[in-house]
Amino acid sequence: MEAYEAPHAEVTVLITDDRQMAQLNEQFRDVASTTDVLSFPAPAHVAGHLGDIAISYDVAALQARMRGVSTRDEIAMLAIHGGLHLLGYDDEQEADREDMIQRMNAIASQVGLPTDSDWRSGHYDA
């Protein structure tokens, strides 16, 4: 967050299972399935809180196996991904996805995580 000059603020991270993640995805995105990570930016009037990140442990474990990394490392990458969403980065378009992957890998490299130039949500390809 410091590298992006984010305000000094808290981020809440929930690591949950597919059942609860599917409920969150349906409630907030109207998508009736699980996903790997969801980000919820805090309203502008809430001082000291940047937002919330929800991560599915089940999907993270699956993606970790697919990528050949530990579940812990995949959860860390998902937290980075969610944090970038909280800062306003998006990955809906391919060019934006590539930019986000580069940013994720730069952060991962700084904190000693394995990088992956083609990182993606493997859950959707499974």
PDB file of all heavy atoms in Angstrom, residues 1-8 50 80-81 83-90 98-108 110:
ATOM      1  N   MET A   1       0.823  -1.183   0.000  1.00  0.00           N
ATOM      2  CA  MET A   1       0.000   0.000   0.000  1.00  0.00           C
ATOM      3  C   MET A   1       0.871   1.254   0.000  1.00  0.00           C
ATOM      4  O   MET A   1       0.513   2.241  -0.620  1.00  0.00           O
ATOM      5  CB  MET A   1      -0.944   0.001   1.200  1.00  0.00           C
ATOM      6  CG  MET A   1      -1.967  -1.116   1.207  1.00  0.00           C
ATOM      7  SD  MET A   1      -3.071  -1.005  -0.203  1.00  0.00           S
ATOM      8  CE  MET A   1      -4.135  -2.359   0.095  1.00  0.00           C
ATOM      9  N   GLU A   2       2.017   1.168   0.702  1.00  0.00           N
ATOM     10  CA  GLU A   2       2.914   2.317   0.741  1.00  0.00           C
ATOM     11  C   GLU A   2       3.423   2.692  -0.641  1.00  0.00           C
ATOM     12  O   GLU A   2       3.537   3.861  -0.973  1.00  0.00           O
ATOM     13  CB  GLU A   2       4.094   2.045   1.674  1.00  0.00           C
ATOM     14  CG  GLU A   2       3.714   2.028   3.129  1.00  0.00           C
ATOM     15  CD  GLU A   2       4.881   1.657   4.033  1.00  0.00           C
ATOM     16  OE1 GLU A   2       6.036   1.592   3.543  1.00  0.00           O
ATOM     17  OE2 GLU A   2       4.636   1.432   5.220  1.00  0.00           O
ATOM     18  N   ALA A   3       3.742   1.694  -1.460  1.00  0.00           N
ATOM     19  CA  ALA A   3       4.255   1.956  -2.806  1.00  0.00           C
ATOM     20  C   ALA A   3       3.229   2.697  -3.662  1.00  0.00           C
ATOM     21  O   ALA A   3       3.594   3.392  -4.605  1.00  0.00           O
ATOM     22  CB  ALA A   3       4.657   0.651  -3.481  1.00  0.00           C
ATOM     23  N   TYR A   4       1.962   2.570  -3.329  1.00  0.00           N
ATOM     24  CA  TYR A   4       0.892   3.219  -4.092  1.00  0.00           C
ATOM     25  C   TYR A   4       0.372   4.463  -3.387  1.00  0.00           C
ATOM     26  O   TYR A   4      -0.654   5.011  -3.765  1.00  0.00           O
ATOM     27  CB  TYR A   4      -0.243   2.219  -4.349  1.00  0.00           C
ATOM     28  CG  TYR A   4       0.177   1.185  -5.360  1.00  0.00           C
ATOM     29  CD1 TYR A   4       0.815   0.015  -4.965  1.00  0.00           C
ATOM     30  CD2 TYR A   4      -0.022   1.399  -6.715  1.00  0.00           C
ATOM     31  CE1 TYR A   4       1.228  -0.921  -5.897  1.00  0.00           C
ATOM     32  CE2 TYR A   4       0.386   0.461  -7.652  1.00  0.00           C
ATOM     33  CZ  TYR A   4       1.008  -0.694  -7.225  1.00  0.00           C
ATOM     34  OH  TYR A   4       1.422  -1.618  -8.160  1.00  0.00           O
ATOM     35  N   GLU A   5       1.100   4.886  -2.357  1.00  0.00           N
ATOM     36  CA  GLU A   5       0.755   6.076  -1.590  1.00  0.00           C
ATOM     37  C   GLU A   5      -0.700   6.035  -1.118  1.00  0.00           C
ATOM     38  O   GLU A   5      -1.411   7.040  -1.145  1.00  0.00           O
ATOM     39  CB  GLU A   5       1.061   7.344  -2.393  1.00  0.00           C
ATOM     40  CG  GLU A   5       2.533   7.456  -2.722  1.00  0.00           C
ATOM     41  CD  GLU A   5       2.883   8.691  -3.535  1.00  0.00           C
ATOM     42  OE1 GLU A   5       2.030   9.580  -3.699  1.00  0.00           O
ATOM     43  OE2 GLU A   5       4.021   8.745  -4.004  1.00  0.00           O
ATOM     44  N   ALA A   6      -1.126   4.851  -0.712  1.00  0.00           N
ATOM     45  CA  ALA A   6      -2.471   4.694  -0.164  1.00  0.00           C
ATOM     46  C   ALA A   6      -2.524   5.367   1.201  1.00  0.00           C
ATOM     47  O   ALA A   6      -1.522   5.429   1.910  1.00  0.00           O
ATOM     48  CB  ALA A   6      -2.807   3.215  -0.029  1.00  0.00           C
ATOM     49  N   PRO A   7      -3.677   5.873   1.550  1.00  0.00           N
ATOM     50  CA  PRO A   7      -3.784   6.471   2.880  1.00  0.00           C
ATOM     51  C   PRO A   7      -3.552   5.417   3.957  1.00  0.00           C
ATOM     52  O   PRO A   7      -3.820   4.239   3.744  1.00  0.00           O
ATOM     53  CB  PRO A   7      -5.234   6.985   2.922  1.00  0.00           C
ATOM     54  CG  PRO A   7      -5.947   6.201   1.875  1.00  0.00           C
ATOM     55  CD  PRO A   7      -4.938   5.850   0.835  1.00  0.00           C
ATOM     56  N   HIS A   8      -3.031   5.859   5.096  1.00  0.00           N
ATOM     57  CA  HIS A   8      -2.842   4.927   6.212  1.00  0.00           C
ATOM     58  C   HIS A   8      -4.238   4.511   6.682  1.00  0.00           C
ATOM     59  O   HIS A   8      -4.987   5.319   7.229  1.00  0.00           O
ATOM     60  CB  HIS A   8      -2.053   5.585   7.335  1.00  0.00           C
ATOM     61  CG  HIS A   8      -1.751   4.651   8.450  1.00  0.00           C
ATOM     62  ND1 HIS A   8      -0.807   3.659   8.345  1.00  0.00           N
ATOM     63  CD2 HIS A   8      -2.296   4.531   9.679  1.00  0.00           C
ATOM     64  CE1 HIS A   8      -0.776   2.975   9.469  1.00  0.00           C
ATOM     65  NE2 HIS A   8      -1.667   3.487  10.303  1.00  0.00           N
ATOM     66  N   LEU A  50      -9.770   1.302   4.466  1.00  0.00           N
ATOM     67  CA  LEU A  50      -9.685   1.286   3.005  1.00  0.00           C
ATOM     68  C   LEU A  50     -10.728   0.356   2.396  1.00  0.00           C
ATOM     69  O   LEU A  50     -11.256   0.620   1.323  1.00  0.00           O
ATOM     70  CB  LEU A  50      -8.272   0.852   2.573  1.00  0.00           C
ATOM     71  CG  LEU A  50      -7.929   0.995   1.107  1.00  0.00           C
ATOM     72  CD1 LEU A  50      -8.057   2.442   0.643  1.00  0.00           C
ATOM     73  CD2 LEU A  50      -6.508   0.499   0.847  1.00  0.00           C
ATOM     74  N   ILE A  80      -3.051  -9.532  -2.351  1.00  0.00           N
ATOM     75  CA  ILE A  80      -2.461  -8.458  -3.156  1.00  0.00           C
ATOM     76  C   ILE A  80      -3.432  -8.024  -4.237  1.00  0.00           C
ATOM     77  O   ILE A  80      -3.665  -6.836  -4.458  1.00  0.00           O
ATOM     78  CB  ILE A  80      -1.117  -8.914  -3.770  1.00  0.00           C
ATOM     79  CG1 ILE A  80      -0.061  -9.110  -2.678  1.00  0.00           C
ATOM     80  CG2 ILE A  80      -0.640  -7.919  -4.832  1.00  0.00           C
ATOM     81  CD1 ILE A  80       1.197  -9.824  -3.136  1.00  0.00           C
ATOM     82  N   HIS A  81      -4.013  -9.002  -4.923  1.00  0.00           N
ATOM     83  CA  HIS A  81      -4.989  -8.727  -5.982  1.00  0.00           C
ATOM     84  C   HIS A  81      -6.163  -7.907  -5.424  1.00  0.00           C
ATOM     85  O   HIS A  81      -6.554  -6.886  -5.995  1.00  0.00           O
ATOM     86  CB  HIS A  81      -5.481 -10.057  -6.566  1.00  0.00           C
ATOM     87  CG  HIS A  81      -6.347  -9.925  -7.761  1.00  0.00           C
ATOM     88  ND1 HIS A  81      -5.844  -9.755  -9.031  1.00  0.00           N
ATOM     89  CD2 HIS A  81      -7.699  -9.934  -7.890  1.00  0.00           C
ATOM     90  CE1 HIS A  81      -6.850  -9.673  -9.894  1.00  0.00           C
ATOM     91  NE2 HIS A  81      -7.988  -9.781  -9.221  1.00  0.00           N
ATOM     92  N   GLY A  83      -6.192  -6.092  -2.734  1.00  0.00           N
ATOM     93  CA  GLY A  83      -5.697  -4.774  -2.335  1.00  0.00           C
ATOM     94  C   GLY A  83      -5.602  -3.815  -3.509  1.00  0.00           C
ATOM     95  O   GLY A  83      -5.943  -2.632  -3.399  1.00  0.00           O
ATOM     96  N   LEU A  84      -5.153  -4.324  -4.650  1.00  0.00           N
ATOM     97  CA  LEU A  84      -5.092  -3.480  -5.845  1.00  0.00           C
ATOM     98  C   LEU A  84      -6.495  -3.049  -6.276  1.00  0.00           C
ATOM     99  O   LEU A  84      -6.693  -1.907  -6.700  1.00  0.00           O
ATOM    100  CB  LEU A  84      -4.356  -4.203  -6.971  1.00  0.00           C
ATOM    101  CG  LEU A  84      -2.847  -4.323  -6.775  1.00  0.00           C
ATOM    102  CD1 LEU A  84      -2.240  -5.263  -7.821  1.00  0.00           C
ATOM    103  CD2 LEU A  84      -2.175  -2.963  -6.828  1.00  0.00           C
ATOM    104  N   HIS A  85      -7.466  -3.949  -6.150  1.00  0.00           N
ATOM    105  CA  HIS A  85      -8.850  -3.554  -6.436  1.00  0.00           C
ATOM    106  C   HIS A  85      -9.291  -2.433  -5.484  1.00  0.00           C
ATOM    107  O   HIS A  85      -9.946  -1.475  -5.920  1.00  0.00           O
ATOM    108  CB  HIS A  85      -9.807  -4.742  -6.307  1.00  0.00           C
ATOM    109  CG  HIS A  85      -9.869  -5.610  -7.516  1.00  0.00           C
ATOM    110  ND1 HIS A  85     -10.176  -5.141  -8.776  1.00  0.00           N
ATOM    111  CD2 HIS A  85      -9.672  -6.941  -7.661  1.00  0.00           C
ATOM    112  CE1 HIS A  85     -10.183  -6.142  -9.637  1.00  0.00           C
ATOM    113  NE2 HIS A  85      -9.859  -7.258  -8.987  1.00  0.00           N
ATOM    114  N   LEU A  86      -8.931  -2.528  -4.210  1.00  0.00           N
ATOM    115  CA  LEU A  86      -9.297  -1.478  -3.257  1.00  0.00           C
ATOM    116  C   LEU A  86      -8.676  -0.140  -3.627  1.00  0.00           C
ATOM    117  O   LEU A  86      -9.229   0.911  -3.311  1.00  0.00           O
ATOM    118  CB  LEU A  86      -8.886  -1.863  -1.835  1.00  0.00           C
ATOM    119  CG  LEU A  86      -9.624  -3.037  -1.202  1.00  0.00           C
ATOM    120  CD1 LEU A  86      -9.097  -3.289   0.210  1.00  0.00           C
ATOM    121  CD2 LEU A  86     -11.128  -2.810  -1.188  1.00  0.00           C
ATOM    122  N   LEU A  87      -7.531  -0.186  -4.295  1.00  0.00           N
ATOM    123  CA  LEU A  87      -6.861   1.043  -4.728  1.00  0.00           C
ATOM    124  C   LEU A  87      -7.396   1.564  -6.063  1.00  0.00           C
ATOM    125  O   LEU A  87      -6.940   2.579  -6.565  1.00  0.00           O
ATOM    126  CB  LEU A  87      -5.353   0.813  -4.828  1.00  0.00           C
ATOM    127  CG  LEU A  87      -4.658   0.543  -3.494  1.00  0.00           C
ATOM    128  CD1 LEU A  87      -3.200   0.181  -3.726  1.00  0.00           C
ATOM    129  CD2 LEU A  87      -4.780   1.756  -2.577  1.00  0.00           C
ATOM    130  N   GLY A  88      -8.358   0.832  -6.639  1.00  0.00           N
ATOM    131  CA  GLY A  88      -8.999   1.314  -7.860  1.00  0.00           C
ATOM    132  C   GLY A  88      -8.571   0.629  -9.141  1.00  0.00           C
ATOM    133  O   GLY A  88      -9.044   0.985 -10.220  1.00  0.00           O
ATOM    134  N   TYR A  89      -7.695  -0.362  -9.045  1.00  0.00           N
ATOM    135  CA  TYR A  89      -7.271  -1.083 -10.252  1.00  0.00           C
ATOM    136  C   TYR A  89      -8.323  -2.125 -10.624  1.00  0.00           C
ATOM    137  O   TYR A  89      -8.966  -2.698  -9.755  1.00  0.00           O
ATOM    138  CB  TYR A  89      -5.895  -1.739 -10.038  1.00  0.00           C
ATOM    139  CG  TYR A  89      -4.813  -0.708  -9.899  1.00  0.00           C
ATOM    140  CD1 TYR A  89      -4.426  -0.247  -8.644  1.00  0.00           C
ATOM    141  CD2 TYR A  89      -4.214  -0.158 -11.025  1.00  0.00           C
ATOM    142  CE1 TYR A  89      -3.454   0.735  -8.509  1.00  0.00           C
ATOM    143  CE2 TYR A  89      -3.232   0.827 -10.892  1.00  0.00           C
ATOM    144  CZ  TYR A  89      -2.867   1.264  -9.626  1.00  0.00           C
ATOM    145  OH  TYR A  89      -1.915   2.234  -9.509  1.00  0.00           O
ATOM    146  N   ASP A  90      -8.456  -2.350 -11.913  1.00  0.00           N
ATOM    147  CA  ASP A  90      -9.471  -3.270 -12.418  1.00  0.00           C
ATOM    148  C   ASP A  90      -8.807  -4.250 -13.375  1.00  0.00           C
ATOM    149  O   ASP A  90      -7.735  -3.973 -13.913  1.00  0.00           O
ATOM    150  CB  ASP A  90     -10.557  -2.473 -13.145  1.00  0.00           C
ATOM    151  CG  ASP A  90     -11.817  -3.268 -13.363  1.00  0.00           C
ATOM    152  OD1 ASP A  90     -11.903  -4.419 -12.894  1.00  0.00           O
ATOM    153  OD2 ASP A  90     -12.734  -2.742 -14.012  1.00  0.00           O
ATOM    154  N   GLU A  98      -3.388  -7.480 -17.619  1.00  0.00           N
ATOM    155  CA  GLU A  98      -1.937  -7.580 -17.751  1.00  0.00           C
ATOM    156  C   GLU A  98      -1.237  -6.568 -16.847  1.00  0.00           C
ATOM    157  O   GLU A  98      -0.227  -6.889 -16.208  1.00  0.00           O
ATOM    158  CB  GLU A  98      -1.536  -7.399 -19.208  1.00  0.00           C
ATOM    159  CG  GLU A  98      -1.948  -8.573 -20.087  1.00  0.00           C
ATOM    160  CD  GLU A  98      -1.689  -8.342 -21.573  1.00  0.00           C
ATOM    161  OE1 GLU A  98      -1.057  -7.319 -21.927  1.00  0.00           O
ATOM    162  OE2 GLU A  98      -2.126  -9.191 -22.369  1.00  0.00           O
ATOM    163  N   ASP A  99      -1.763  -5.354 -16.780  1.00  0.00           N
ATOM    164  CA  ASP A  99      -1.195  -4.329 -15.896  1.00  0.00           C
ATOM    165  C   ASP A  99      -1.287  -4.775 -14.443  1.00  0.00           C
ATOM    166  O   ASP A  99      -0.329  -4.645 -13.684  1.00  0.00           O
ATOM    167  CB  ASP A  99      -1.930  -2.996 -16.099  1.00  0.00           C
ATOM    168  CG  ASP A  99      -1.424  -1.922 -15.158  1.00  0.00           C
ATOM    169  OD1 ASP A  99      -0.220  -1.581 -15.220  1.00  0.00           O
ATOM    170  OD2 ASP A  99      -2.230  -1.420 -14.345  1.00  0.00           O
ATOM    171  N   MET A 100      -2.431  -5.320 -14.076  1.00  0.00           N
ATOM    172  CA  MET A 100      -2.627  -5.759 -12.706  1.00  0.00           C
ATOM    173  C   MET A 100      -1.686  -6.911 -12.355  1.00  0.00           C
ATOM    174  O   MET A 100      -1.117  -6.940 -11.257  1.00  0.00           O
ATOM    175  CB  MET A 100      -4.079  -6.156 -12.477  1.00  0.00           C
ATOM    176  CG  MET A 100      -4.478  -6.181 -11.032  1.00  0.00           C
ATOM    177  SD  MET A 100      -6.266  -6.268 -10.910  1.00  0.00           S
ATOM    178  CE  MET A 100      -6.490  -5.714  -9.264  1.00  0.00           C
ATOM    179  N   ILE A 101      -1.497  -7.839 -13.286  1.00  0.00           N
ATOM    180  CA  ILE A 101      -0.579  -8.959 -13.051  1.00  0.00           C
ATOM    181  C   ILE A 101       0.843  -8.442 -12.835  1.00  0.00           C
ATOM    182  O   ILE A 101       1.558  -8.913 -11.939  1.00  0.00           O
ATOM    183  CB  ILE A 101      -0.600  -9.962 -14.230  1.00  0.00           C
ATOM    184  CG1 ILE A 101      -1.996 -10.505 -14.458  1.00  0.00           C
ATOM    185  CG2 ILE A 101       0.408 -11.082 -14.025  1.00  0.00           C
ATOM    186  CD1 ILE A 101      -2.550 -11.369 -13.397  1.00  0.00           C
ATOM    187  N   GLN A 102       1.256  -7.476 -13.635  1.00  0.00           N
ATOM    188  CA  GLN A 102       2.593  -6.892 -13.461  1.00  0.00           C
ATOM    189  C   GLN A 102       2.727  -6.264 -12.076  1.00  0.00           C
ATOM    190  O   GLN A 102       3.744  -6.421 -11.403  1.00  0.00           O
ATOM    191  CB  GLN A 102       2.880  -5.860 -14.545  1.00  0.00           C
ATOM    192  CG  GLN A 102       3.139  -6.462 -15.896  1.00  0.00           C
ATOM    193  CD  GLN A 102       3.400  -5.410 -16.963  1.00  0.00           C
ATOM    194  OE1 GLN A 102       2.953  -4.265 -16.864  1.00  0.00           O
ATOM    195  NE2 GLN A 102       4.137  -5.796 -17.994  1.00  0.00           N
ATOM    196  N   ARG A 103       1.713  -5.543 -11.665  1.00  0.00           N
ATOM    197  CA  ARG A 103       1.744  -4.904 -10.348  1.00  0.00           C
ATOM    198  C   ARG A 103       1.766  -5.964  -9.238  1.00  0.00           C
ATOM    199  O   ARG A 103       2.512  -5.838  -8.269  1.00  0.00           O
ATOM    200  CB  ARG A 103       0.540  -3.978 -10.182  1.00  0.00           C
ATOM    201  CG  ARG A 103       0.599  -2.760 -11.081  1.00  0.00           C
ATOM    202  CD  ARG A 103      -0.677  -1.924 -11.001  1.00  0.00           C
ATOM    203  NE  ARG A 103      -0.671  -0.865 -11.981  1.00  0.00           N
ATOM    204  CZ  ARG A 103      -0.037   0.290 -11.851  1.00  0.00           C
ATOM    205  NH1 ARG A 103       0.652   0.542 -10.743  1.00  0.00           N
ATOM    206  NH2 ARG A 103      -0.080   1.204 -12.796  1.00  0.00           N
ATOM    207  N   MET A 104       0.949  -7.003  -9.386  1.00  0.00           N
ATOM    208  CA  MET A 104       0.927  -8.088  -8.400  1.00  0.00           C
ATOM    209  C   MET A 104       2.304  -8.739  -8.289  1.00  0.00           C
ATOM    210  O   MET A 104       2.789  -8.987  -7.183  1.00  0.00           O
ATOM    211  CB  MET A 104      -0.097  -9.154  -8.792  1.00  0.00           C
ATOM    212  CG  MET A 104      -1.541  -8.742  -8.622  1.00  0.00           C
ATOM    213  SD  MET A 104      -2.695  -9.951  -9.328  1.00  0.00           S
ATOM    214  CE  MET A 104      -2.357 -11.393  -8.311  1.00  0.00           C
ATOM    215  N   ASN A 105       2.922  -9.012  -9.429  1.00  0.00           N
ATOM    216  CA  ASN A 105       4.229  -9.665  -9.423  1.00  0.00           C
ATOM    217  C   ASN A 105       5.312  -8.772  -8.836  1.00  0.00           C
ATOM    218  O   ASN A 105       6.219  -9.262  -8.159  1.00  0.00           O
ATOM    219  CB  ASN A 105       4.593 -10.142 -10.825  1.00  0.00           C
ATOM    220  CG  ASN A 105       3.888 -11.425 -11.171  1.00  0.00           C
ATOM    221  OD1 ASN A 105       3.824 -12.350 -10.380  1.00  0.00           O
ATOM    222  ND2 ASN A 105       3.344 -11.493 -12.380  1.00  0.00           N
ATOM    223  N   ALA A 106       5.229  -7.471  -9.080  1.00  0.00           N
ATOM    224  CA  ALA A 106       6.208  -6.552  -8.497  1.00  0.00           C
ATOM    225  C   ALA A 106       6.098  -6.578  -6.974  1.00  0.00           C
ATOM    226  O   ALA A 106       7.119  -6.650  -6.268  1.00  0.00           O
ATOM    227  CB  ALA A 106       5.991  -5.143  -9.038  1.00  0.00           C
ATOM    228  N   ILE A 107       4.882  -6.542  -6.473  1.00  0.00           N
ATOM    229  CA  ILE A 107       4.671  -6.592  -5.025  1.00  0.00           C
ATOM    230  C   ILE A 107       5.105  -7.953  -4.475  1.00  0.00           C
ATOM    231  O   ILE A 107       5.796  -8.033  -3.460  1.00  0.00           O
ATOM    232  CB  ILE A 107       3.197  -6.300  -4.680  1.00  0.00           C
ATOM    233  CG1 ILE A 107       2.839  -4.860  -5.063  1.00  0.00           C
ATOM    234  CG2 ILE A 107       2.927  -6.556  -3.192  1.00  0.00           C
ATOM    235  CD1 ILE A 107       1.349  -4.566  -5.080  1.00  0.00           C
ATOM    236  N   ALA A 108       4.703  -9.027  -5.165  1.00  0.00           N
ATOM    237  CA  ALA A 108       5.078 -10.381  -4.727  1.00  0.00           C
ATOM    238  C   ALA A 108       6.587 -10.521  -4.628  1.00  0.00           C
ATOM    239  O   ALA A 108       7.108 -11.073  -3.652  1.00  0.00           O
ATOM    240  CB  ALA A 108       4.492 -11.424  -5.678  1.00  0.00           C
ATOM    241  N   GLN A 110       8.776  -8.200  -4.119  1.00  0.00           N
ATOM    242  CA  GLN A 110       9.277  -7.398  -2.995  1.00  0.00           C
ATOM    243  C   GLN A 110       9.111  -8.106  -1.659  1.00  0.00           C
ATOM    244  O   GLN A 110       9.916  -7.894  -0.750  1.00  0.00           O
ATOM    245  CB  GLN A 110       8.556  -6.049  -2.936  1.00  0.00           C
ATOM    246  CG  GLN A 110       8.919  -5.118  -4.051  1.00  0.00           C
ATOM    247  CD  GLN A 110       8.061  -3.856  -4.037  1.00  0.00           C
ATOM    248  OE1 GLN A 110       7.076  -3.746  -3.311  1.00  0.00           O
ATOM    249  NE2 GLN A 110       8.442  -2.903  -4.865  1.00  0.00           N
TER     250      GLN A 110
END
